[in-house]
């Protein structure tokens, strides 16, 4: 069968790290509150000249280098972001031009924190049906630019960054490498629990992020456990078969609760929320690249990606390395 095989990964972070103590000097918060409620200790914040496309391009270059693939051989770029450089053109086309692989398919996907799962599922379908041969799947964000820096309930939670995967359509055996299954969901009934209060067609402004965190938390734990079970069942695996869970990094307590619900030990969960905070669509590929580069995720491992975010949207993807 044809499968989308992960050939390489890369990631990029802005130059400036901002600690909880830095934020406590600006809004009414404390390192103790942030660590206890979220597990976050610091986040990276984009400075002048650092944008979603510059971070995405850097992550993509590193992924291509790790894959040993020339950018000219990429014929599909799917970039997940809720913070594009401009309303249009798609940030994916800016990245394509920077990489010099003009002429193939390039577009953005908007599914907020689940964006990377949506991008992965879309790219996988396109590779398996022969629309493209080699894809860059990127999650990249500069959420710092849509935060209300006076709102302590949101500004301490998010950070900027990018992560990228190179996928290649390859002939693979049933137990061979590649994306095995992806399950995606959305429920627009909850779009007022996590949203941006502006947009081109409503206010004509970019807007700021608003979130009812407690309610989002409650839905996240239930939806994630459900989609993980659904993905495992559809692919014919048990929770015990998973080598690594690479989750969206919103809150350490959500990661713990989800792992507990599946009966998975915490040691099998890749956690970067302490260093990166919530980087929305970038968080899953950033965490994956961390696990690859520190040698934890190995060839042959069964890896589960999962995420939940605004919309609501949520999803999971099971991949054999
Ligand atoms: O990425 C997309 C998905 N997003 C998520 O999954 C986020 C899900 N939600 C969460 O992670 C958590 O709900 C939060 C971290 C956002 C909040 O944690 P919580 O334990 O649910 O706190 P809470 O909202 O119930 O607030 C508890 C208290 C409140 O004070 P009162 O009303 O009890 O007096 C807040 O005003 O904590 C207060 N608070 C803060 N205190 C210090 C809220 N933010 C802060 C802060 N520093 N930064």
């Amino acid at each position: 069968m044809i499968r989308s095989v992960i050939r390489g990964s890369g990631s990029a972070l802005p130059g400036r790290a901002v600690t909880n103590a830095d934020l406590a000097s600006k809004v009414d918060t404390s390192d103790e509150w942030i660590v206890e409620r979220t597990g976050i200790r610091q986040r990276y914040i984009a400075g002048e000249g650092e944008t979603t496309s510059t971070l995405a391009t850097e992550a993509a270059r590193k992924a291509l280098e790790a894959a040993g693939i020339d950018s000219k051989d990429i014929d599909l770029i799917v970039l997940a972001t809720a913070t594009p450089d401009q309303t249009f053109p798609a940030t994916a086309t800016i990245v394509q031009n920077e990489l010099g692989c003009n002429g193939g398919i390039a577009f953005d996907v908007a599914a907020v924190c689940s964006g990377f799962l949506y991008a992965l599922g879309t790219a996988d379908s396109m590779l398996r049906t022969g629309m493209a041969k080699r894809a860059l799947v990127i999650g990249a964000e500069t959420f710092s630019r849509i935060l209300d820096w006076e709102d302590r309930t949101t500004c301490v939670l998010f950070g900027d960054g990018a992560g990228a995967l190179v996928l290649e359509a390859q002939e693979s055996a049933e137990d061979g490498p590649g994306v095995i299954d992806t399950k995606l969901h959305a429920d627009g009934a909850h779009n007022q629990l996590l949203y941006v209060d502006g947009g081109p067609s409503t206010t004509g402004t970019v807007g700021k992020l608003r979130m009812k965190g407690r309610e989002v938390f409650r839905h996240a734990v239930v939806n994630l456990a459900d989609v993980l079970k659904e993905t495992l069942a559809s692919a014919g695996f048990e929770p015990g078969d998973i080598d690594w869970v690479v989750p969206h990094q919103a809150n350490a307590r959500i990661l713990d609760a989800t792992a507990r619900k599946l009966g998975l030990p915490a040691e099998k969960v890749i956690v970067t929320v302490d260093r990166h905070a919530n980087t929305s669509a970038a968080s899953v590929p950033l965490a994956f690249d961390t696990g690859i580069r520190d040698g934890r995720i190995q060839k042959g491992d069964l890896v589960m990606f999962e995420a939940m975010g605004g919309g609501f949207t949520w999803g999971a993807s099971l991949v054999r390395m």
Side-chain angles (χ1 to χ4, degrees):
M1 65 182 77
I2 298 288
R3 274 202 177 142
S4 310
V5 174
I6 298 178
R7 289 284 311 269
S9 69
S11 57
L13 292 162
R16 185 164 73 104
V18 174
T19 65
N20 293 346
D22 294 334
L23 292 181
S25 68
K26 295 194 178 77
V27 285
D28 181 16
T29 190
S30 64
D31 177 55
E32 193 189 4
W33 189 94
I34 301 171
V35 172
E36 191 188 307
R37 301 292 178 121
T38 71
I40 297 166
R41 293 182 183 275
Q42 62 163 38
R43 73 286 294 140
Y44 290 85
I45 301 293
E48 211 180 312
E50 288 174 323
T51 67
T52 294
S53 73
T54 67
L55 293 167
T57 303
E58 186 185 336
R61 283 210 170 98
K62 289 180 182 163
L64 287 166
E65 193 184 314
I69 285 179
D70 193 290
S71 68
K72 301 259 180 304
D73 294 326
I74 295 294
D75 52 5
L76 169 64
I77 300 177
V78 188
L79 188 148
T81 190
T83 47
D85 283 21
Q86 295 150 268
T87 302
F88 76 83
T91 303
T93 63
I94 303 171
V95 173
Q96 186 205 50
N97 192 47
E98 286 296 316
L99 295 175
C101 50
N102 310 46
I105 307 165
F107 61 97
D108 290 357
V109 161
V112 206
C113 298
S114 317
F116 185 77
L117 272 298
Y118 271 71
L120 183 62
T122 306
D124 176 43
S125 303
M126 293 174 81
L127 291 175
R128 281 189 291 108
T129 53
M131 279 185 82
K133 179 85 178 107
R134 286 182 203 89
L136 269 166
V137 182
I138 306 170
E141 303 278 15
T142 43
F143 258 50
S144 64
R145 306 241 156 92
I146 57 163
L147 293 175
D148 174 352
W149 285 99
E150 288 175 4
D151 175 9
R152 69 172 184 173
T153 68
T154 53
C155 76
V156 304
L157 304 173
F158 296 90
D160 303 332
L165 296 185
V166 175
L167 292 183
E168 184 174 56
Q170 286 182 7
E171 189 63 45
S172 183
E174 179 78 35
D175 59 351
V179 177
I180 297 167
D181 208 353
T182 302
K183 299 290 178 201
L184 302 171
H185 296 281
D187 182 353
H190 302 293
N191 62 23
Q192 289 305 306
L193 295 179
L194 176 49
Y195 66 101
V196 167
D197 62 5
S201 172
T202 48
T203 58
T205 61
V206 172
K208 298 287 179 207
L209 181 148
R210 307 289 170 205
M211 176 165 73
K212 294 199 170 65
R214 206 178 306 178
E215 279 100 308
V216 176
F217 190 110
R218 209 163 37 81
H219 285 279
V221 174
V222 174
N223 290 346
L224 288 171
D226 285 352
V227 76
L228 289 172
K229 283 184 197 145
E230 179 194 4
T231 309
L232 281 170
S234 138
F237 288 97
E238 301 286 330
D241 297 323
I242 299 175
D243 293 297
W244 295 104
V245 181
V246 183
H248 171 48
Q249 310 281 322
N251 186 320
R253 290 187 291 137
I254 297 179
L255 307 190
D256 291 345
T258 312
R260 242 193 337 267
K261 270 189 165 231
L262 273 183
L264 284 171
E267 302 81 60
K268 288 193 170 188
V269 183
I270 306 273
V271 179
T272 55
V273 67
D274 52 332
R275 283 161 283 162
H276 301 158
N278 182 345
T279 57
S280 187
S283 91
V284 168
L286 256 168
F288 176 76
D289 192 50
T290 303
I292 288 283
R293 286 176 195 265
D294 67 20
R296 276 179 289 174
I297 303 173
Q298 295 284 333
K299 203 168 170 43
D301 282 355
L302 192 63
V303 177
M304 180 72 93
F305 298 112
E306 46 105 321
M308 144 97 190
F312 288 146
T313 55
W314 64 102
S317 185
L318 195 60
V319 181
R320 177 76 69 190
M321 296 300 300

